[in-house]
Amino acid sequence: MDFHLSNEQLMLRKMYREFAENEVKPLAEEIDEEERFPMETVEKMAKLGMMGIYFPKEYGGAGGDVLAYAMCVEELAKVCGTTAVIVSAHTSLCCAPIFEHGTEEQKMKYLPDLCSGKKIGAFGLTEPGAGTDASGQQTTAVLEGDHYVLNGSKCFITNGNVADTFVVFAMTDKKAGNHGISAFIVERDFPGFTQGKHEKKMGIRGSSTCDLIFEDCIVPKENLLGKEGKGFKIAMQTLDGGRIGIASQALGLGEGAIDEAIKYTKERVQFGKRLSQFQNTQFQLADMHCRMQAAQYLVYAAACKKQLHEDYSMDAAMAKLFAAEAASDVTRRAVQLFGGYGYTREYPVERMMRDAKITEIYEGTSEVQRMVISSHLGVK
Amino acid sequence: MKIIVSVKQVPDTSGKVAVNPDGTLDRASMQAIINPDDLNAVEAALKLKDETGCKVIVVTMGPPPAAGMLRELMARGADEGILVSAREFGGSDTYATSQILAAAISRIGVEKDDIVMCGRQAIDGDTAQVGPQIAEKLHLPQVTYAAEIQKTGDTITVKRMLEDGYMTIKVKTPCLLTCIKELNAPRYMSVGGIFEAYSKPLQTFDYETLKDDALIDPTTIGLKGSPTNILTSFTPPQKGAGLMLNEGDDKANCEKLAGILAKKHII
């Protein structure tokens, strides 16, 4: 066991931090206020290899590892939850399933443009009637000659309005239930495919979230991802990886709120003392830091296990559950330490608190994570 | 064609500068960073590399941990690093430092179409002398305060910043340029670059490596080879409490203010 980061990892952290401080933090408030997708940041991140961190160079990736990716999402989330989830959804939910389940042709066709950020990726699984119960898919895909015809809709799709490449799930055999779901790679301009309006959200407001609509959408046969009927398995494996990304986002949000709270409580004076001199402040910050530190070890352990191709499904669920709940608690406490000012949009902590809540819901609610963990424990 | 960039690791003086009780700089309390002007020099070299495909070699003189800085520059795109490090080199002033760096650079070899680049000055010593002295010792033409660099064939056109304007200078390679922050915005390290950085070549030039160079002599390097010596250093006294000038009319207050500022040589 070795808790030391390697020289490369320390350098990565430094680079992410410099980038986040100089390029991401100055935009965070504006993109939240305006609910604007920060395309200019995506272009800059792409140039630095941040849109395909752990994919091999032959597919246009940066040749890094899963922990390097988790640390990237973490550092971005410290200053902007929105920017963090853009990278996370793109990498974990679109690039990863194509890399892990795609044919060589599919990988060569889609990954270089995704990893270089020329194209943005998204993942379409959730439907109005199929959220936590992902098996309740209503979207259908029917094979007609050399193509599938997709009908149905998806909702709450991160990066939905801006993505070019989508991994979408649909029923190819309704009678087979879970085993009747298949995965497809869908391009933005396939006929019969449109995106709905931008959802107005409580947090991560700069992130694009929308419906996907399929009306006799034509998807070439060669865009079936994996085998017919294997879609549910692909979705679940993809979400295992995605949970590392969201756990990293939650981790960063909590850590970012602590950074802000430490800075503020050392400046703000009441009763002739700095807030940091009151024992309540000290104890609050000690508890907050402990929770986020515990979350960090869970997140990093899950990332390292995935990198080593060990079974990491329960680790990812634990990391996401714990980090998300810790982030919600810690950001809420940070607002409290800021007092009245924390409730205003002049200071970043209220934004962090709003952003943190979603980490308990998307890519599997906290309740789903508990289902995954308890089933791994054999508790049925 | 290759570009050799001389860089220095310095304590970050942008925050609080701490001084030990004996008057020396408390380097441990400050973060070690790449000297900002040197980063502009590296960026200028990398831009020329983007255009011409030339090789970029970064050189630094310092203790072994300075190798970490060279790796960071490789993660930005530099091809090779040279760490000039030996006990004999410690305590050097600008004369001795440039003597050693010039020896290191001539060992790498400066050929006809090569360029040597430095930052204008380092934020710790603040002398701006090492670059020009290296040029003198290597018998290279020098252009200091470069704010724009263009290369056409073997001619480099430099916009050289002056206090109240600039001059455009043409110089033939090989030459030495010192760079200022107006030149460019340094790029970030990249993820791919970081994973490659540790597989790029990094050599250490110690005293043994350089001792046969004509410039290296016990009397020209290190503390002994330094014509200047720091006798004492101290923290400037802290400013006292503010002084309000509100007696008499505005004119009298203004005259009094001008008098105080003039006495302190501020105006």
Side-chain angles (χ1 to χ4, degrees), chain B residues 93-160:
Chain B
D93 69 358
T94 61
Y95 173 87
T97 298
S98 53
Q99 197 85 3
I100 300 159
L101 283 171
I105 290 166
S106 70
R107 185 177 171 91
I108 300 165
V110 181
E111 285 161 61
K112 201 179 164 298
D113 50 357
D114 292 350
I115 307 170
V116 180
M117 289 187 182
C118 302
R120 173 189 56 174
Q121 69 192 67
I123 56 171
D124 54 350
D126 263 339
T127 66
Q129 293 168 358
V130 170
Q133 290 190 49
I134 292 174
E136 289 299 321
K137 281 157 189 169
L138 293 174
H139 307 291
L140 294 174
Q142 56 175 288
V143 183
T144 53
Y145 304 104
E148 245 178 63
I149 297 170
Q150 269 179 329
K151 185 175 182 293
T152 330
D154 64 352
T155 306
I156 312 281
T157 310
V158 181
K159 180 173 165 182
R160 180 174 190 257

Side-chain angles (χ1 to χ4, degrees), chain A residues 88-154:
Chain A
S88 179
H90 167 90
T91 307
S92 289
L93 300 186
C94 183
C95 300
I98 295 174
F99 174 66
E100 283 160 22
H101 304 280
T103 61
E104 196 54 31
E105 289 75 28
Q106 288 170 337
K107 288 196 236 186
M108 286 315 291
K109 183 172 180 193
Y110 290 105
L111 285 176
D113 280 352
L114 287 166
C115 291
S116 66
K118 217 181 267 175
K119 292 190 170 158
I120 295 175
F123 175 85
L125 174 68
T126 299
E127 296 185 3
T132 295
D133 178 13
S135 62
Q137 297 279 309
Q138 294 297 316
T139 302
T140 56
V142 179
L143 184 61
E144 287 181 11
D146 63 351
H147 61 266
Y148 285 89
V149 179
L150 267 64
N151 276 291
S153 68
K154 299 286 168 185

Side-chain angles (χ1 to χ4, degrees), chain A residues 7 14-15 22-23 48 57, chain B residues 72 188-189 191 196 198:
Chain A
N7 286 328
K14 192 170 179 180
M15 171 270 208
N22 298 335
E23 312 288 338
L48 301 177
K57 291 218 157 108
Chain B
E72 283 184 25
Y188 294 97
M189 294 182 262
V191 180
E196 276 170 6
Y198 279 85

